[in-house]
Amino acid sequence: MKQAASTRIVLVALQILLAIFVLIPLFWMLSVSLKPPTEPFSIPARLWPQEPTMSNYVTAFRPEFRTYFLNSIIVSGSSVVITVSLALLAAYSFARGTLLVLTGLMSLVVLAQMFPHSAIIIPIYKLMRDADLLNTHLSLIIAYVSVTLPVAIWMLRGFLLKLPVSLEEAAAIDGAGPVRVFFDIVVPLARPGVIATAVYVLIVTWQEFLFALSFTSTKEMRTLPVGLNDFIGQYGIRYGELMASSVMVSLPVIAVFFFLQRYFVAGLTAGAVKG
Amino acid sequence: MTVKDRWLLWVFLAPTLLLMGLMLFYPMVGTVIDSFHDTSFINPQPRFVGWAVYEKIWTSRQFPEVVWNSVVWTLGVVLLQNILGFFAAMLLNQKLPMQGVTRALVLLPFVLPGVVTAILWRFMYDPQLGLINSLLISAGILDESAAWLASSNTAMAAVIFVAVWKGFPFSMLIYLAALQNVDKSQLEAATIDGAGAWRRLIDVTLPSIREVILVNIVLTLILTFNYFDIVWVLTRGGPQNATHIFPTKIFETGFGQFRFGEAAVYGVFSILILAMLVALYVIVQQGARNRRPTA
């Protein structure tokens, strides 16, 4: 549709305004993380440090931060692998099975994704306590897999429903058993859906705070979000280090997201728009 | 899949059903059971007390505060997030220069971890060093620094603002996908009939994405009601309970004071409220499904 030049200028201006609204806090986070500890804050604020330096990053990357980082990688990485595997198996059953009871179970899956974590966390905490799993990676992995499964199944089921069944049927006629059909035909075809789901699980678990805060009690087991929250009190107003830590916590997910964005956006919006 | 192979469906489903049953559905029941028991730090052994804990919470001064805060918080975030998300989607659906870059950048807050977002905005709001006060003072809007998060008049608005900043890109993504599915020929026909941009929006675009808007609003209602990390890191429910919503109250009562019974009562109330929202979601979805074949 053709637009008048004046309309276009207004629209471009609005677009720039939108970008500024989003970017100013992020830009400032980066700016303060590069500010030398000696350079004071001033009013009006200086938007970019006079002499940018990485020293805050060096100081912030202390041993305990490295421990948190490692814990986050272990917990998130395991959750991604386990959730996506279990969800693919379940989604296949939901997408290909025709039993009425499966429709009912799928409704329960959709329902479960809306459960408030804060309302179910105490019984889960008691389960973990009774199983002697509190303050372990395993307790967080089990919790994360459970809470991410519903959406993961929903995303993958939507994806599998769009795949043609004819390939699976042809393989079955050629004499491939159902297990082989699944691993040789379905799994390779499902790759874009698997990537989208993996990105979702990573984004959710990398930032998960409530379970990590409740289930871990020692520094050795803290994940990054909880560790970062602890820093607030510990470092008072040493915002340079706090912002440097924040940037380091955010970079991995931001990088993954931007490399795999198109899979994720397609996977998320397809389901959400089609219902 | 043949009838003979049906056993495989159940093998594939077994781990998921087991895990979800134990870790999601059983805890829902567990919370209801806990709500009839009294526990405290001194008496960690749960004791059945019937409706006593409900009565205690129901008559407490904080309960109506938490309900009211939750309503303000949820409605505020959902309305602003959807309006801004829709506006941004409309904007990014025009064919303007730098569209791809802008779209990628606008998604950043959505990917930024919640705790990072909260810490960043605590800093933005800081009375001495924060950028917001600095900008407002420089612009002559404020005379002196305001403690946005520490004053009960502004804390809730400040927290809502952060949640909208982080949440609107998600709504934008959904609306953008819906806008790209709007029938181009209908829009062109409307233009030929002399409809301006505003009329096209009201008469063609909005009716054809109605269902997406409704479903998206109810979905964000549910997600926002359940929100924890941003509120907890920004204010811990303070000052003077001004930002305590159900999730923060449950966490503080349960894990801060080890009063699991009281936390469970708040949990049951939040489950009831959510059940109503979920019912709304089902109705809206059902309505969308019924209308689709004729549309």
Side-chain angles (χ1 to χ4, degrees):
Chain A
M1 246 155 291
K2 287 273 171 292
Q3 288 156 339
S6 58
T7 318
R8 277 183 79 78
I9 291 172
V10 173
L11 289 175
V12 170
L14 284 173
Q15 192 181 310
I16 293 171
L17 214 62
L18 183 72
I20 290 177
F21 169 68
V22 166
L23 290 182
I24 279 203
L26 297 170
F27 177 77
W28 209 47
M29 172 163 87
L30 198 62
S31 153
V32 172
S33 75
L34 295 171
K35 192 200 279 279
T38 47
E39 188 181 320
F41 287 88
S42 57
I43 289 185
R46 182 185 290 281
L47 279 179
W48 196 250
Q50 270 175 314
E51 290 168 45
T53 156
M54 295 294 284
S55 73
N56 284 322
Y57 287 84
V58 178
T59 332
F61 200 66
R62 47 172 63 79
E64 61 203 87
F65 186 81
R66 272 174 271 173
T67 309
Y68 303 155
F69 222 108
L70 195 64
N71 288 337
S72 273
I73 291 174
I74 293 171
V75 171
S76 275
S78 314
S79 304
V80 168
V81 172
I82 299 172
T83 298
V84 172
S85 308
L86 294 184
L88 188 60
L89 293 173
Y92 182 68
S93 296
F94 284 125
R96 295 294 183 260
T98 47
L99 296 171
L100 200 61
V101 63
L102 290 175
T103 319
L105 285 176
M106 190 59 212
S107 312
L108 287 183
V109 170
V110 173
L111 185 69
Q113 76 189 46
M114 300 167 186
F115 283 1
H117 296 173
S118 55
I120 56 173
I121 193 170
I122 291 173
I124 300 180
Y125 174 88
K126 288 180 174 171
L127 282 175
M128 295 296 176
R129 188 189 58 194
D130 296 344
D132 212 12
L133 285 176
L134 284 180
N135 207 29
T136 62
H137 291 141
L138 190 59
S139 66
L140 289 183
I141 294 170
I142 294 174
Y144 291 177
V145 170
S146 309
V147 298
T148 52
L149 259 177
V151 175
I153 293 173
W154 175 78
M155 282 174 82
L156 280 168
R157 173 176 160 273
F159 187 84
L160 291 178
L161 283 174
K162 280 184 285 175
L163 287 183
V165 195
S166 51
L167 282 171
E168 293 160 45
E169 283 166 356
I173 290 168
D174 287 348
V179 179
R180 266 203 59 196
V181 169
F182 177 77
F183 284 103
D184 289 358
I185 311 283
V186 179
V187 172
L189 284 175
R191 183 195 288 253
V194 164
I195 295 174
T197 312
V199 174
Y200 157 76
V201 180
L202 178 74
I203 293 179
V204 172
T205 56
W206 190 258
Q207 63 176 309
E208 204 290 327
F209 184 55
L210 180 60
F211 285 103
L213 189 62
S214 314
F215 291 179
T216 62
S217 48
T218 62
K219 282 198 164 148
E220 287 70 41
M221 281 296 148
R222 294 287 206 210
T223 54
L224 282 172
V226 184
L228 207 54
N229 182 54
D230 289 346
F231 284 160
I232 301 178
Q234 276 171 295
Y235 301 150
I237 46 172
R238 268 154 48 202
Y239 275 119
E241 278 172 49
L242 207 48
M243 291 298 111
S245 314
S246 298
V247 172
M248 289 191 282
V249 172
S250 313
L251 273 183
V253 260
I254 290 178
V256 169
F257 181 78
F258 279 103
F259 278 118
L260 303 173
Q261 205 202 130
R262 59 199 171 91
Y263 294 101
F264 178 72
V265 171
L268 188 75
T269 52
V273 173
K274 296 220 178 72
Chain B
M1 181 157 288
T2 56
V3 176
K4 175 169 75 64
D5 297 334
R6 266 191 195 153
W7 59 272
L8 192 67
L9 294 183
W10 297 105
V11 174
F12 279 7
L13 275 175
T16 293
L17 295 181
L18 209 71
L19 210 52
M20 283 180 52
L22 186 66
M23 302 293 293
L24 298 175
F25 286 92
Y26 160 71
M28 288 290 256
V29 182
T31 295
V32 177
I33 297 172
D34 279 354
S35 71
F36 293 106
H37 291 78
D38 195 25
T39 21
S40 63
F41 195 67
I42 313 150
N43 288 311
Q45 209 52 44
R47 195 165 51 87
F48 180 80
V49 290
W51 294 93
V53 190
Y54 281 85
E55 252 183 76
K56 183 177 168 192
I57 298 293
W58 188 252
T59 53
S60 74
R61 201 166 35 82
Q62 282 116 351
F63 183 73
E65 282 179 352
V66 171
V67 173
W68 173 246
N69 289 340
S70 288
V71 170
V72 173
W73 152 261
T74 308
L75 289 183
V77 173
V78 168
L79 281 180
L80 293 173
Q81 166 174 334
N82 279 280
I83 290 170
L84 189 59
F86 184 76
F87 165 79
M90 288 289 288
L91 201 56
L92 290 179
N93 196 36
Q94 316 288 328
K95 288 184 181 53
L96 298 171
M98 304 285 285
Q99 202 96 73
V101 182
T102 314
R103 190 180 305 177
L105 290 177
V106 168
L107 285 177
L108 276 172
F110 168 65
V111 195
L112 203 68
V115 173
V116 170
T117 307
I119 287 178
L120 169 58
W121 280 91
R122 258 179 88 123
F123 182 27
M124 293 286 288
Y125 285 130
D126 190 292
Q128 270 85 47
L129 313 170
L131 189 63
I132 291 186
N133 281 313
S134 174
L135 288 177
L136 290 176
I137 291 170
S138 304
I141 298 171
L142 274 188
D143 291 331
E144 56 183 13
S145 285
W148 302 96
L149 292 171
S151 152
S152 42
N153 294 323
T154 52
M156 182 55 96
V159 176
I160 288 176
F161 189 83
V162 177
V164 171
W165 181 82
K166 178 161 168 56
F168 92 91
F170 174 76
S171 301
M172 183 198 76
L173 266 186
I174 309 281
Y175 289 134
L176 201 52
L179 286 174
Q180 282 160 355
N181 282 345
V182 173
D183 192 352
K184 298 270 185 313
S185 60
Q186 278 191 34
L187 286 171
E188 275 156 23
T191 318
I192 293 166
D193 289 347
W198 182 247
R199 278 252 73 91
R200 284 199 302 271
L201 175 67
I202 303 286
D203 291 343
V204 182
T205 309
L206 283 182
S208 67
I209 65 167
R210 227 182 90 159
E211 281 86 37
V212 179
I213 297 179
L214 281 174
V215 171
N216 203 18
I217 287 180
V218 181
L219 196 66
T220 38
L221 276 175
I222 294 168
L223 295 176
T224 308
F225 184 82
N226 289 337
Y227 227 118
F228 173 73
D229 49 7
I230 285 187
V231 185
W232 185 255
V233 176
L234 278 173
T235 63
R236 306 216 159 189
Q240 291 105 47
N241 294 325
T243 56
H244 246 322
I245 55 176
F246 273 97
T248 57
K249 189 72 189 172
I250 294 169
F251 179 82
E252 193 193 70
T253 316
F255 292 102
Q257 305 162 350
F258 289 97
R259 287 193 264 198
F260 287 158
E262 288 176 38
V265 171
Y266 276 104
V268 169
F269 277 112
S270 75
I271 290 170
L272 289 177
I273 294 170
L274 270 161
M276 288 190 274
L277 291 176
V278 171
L280 189 64
Y281 179 81
V282 172
I283 292 167
V284 167
Q285 274 255 320
Q286 220 62 48
R289 208 160 284 158
N290 293 341
R291 230 170 289 119
R292 201 165 289 145
T294 54

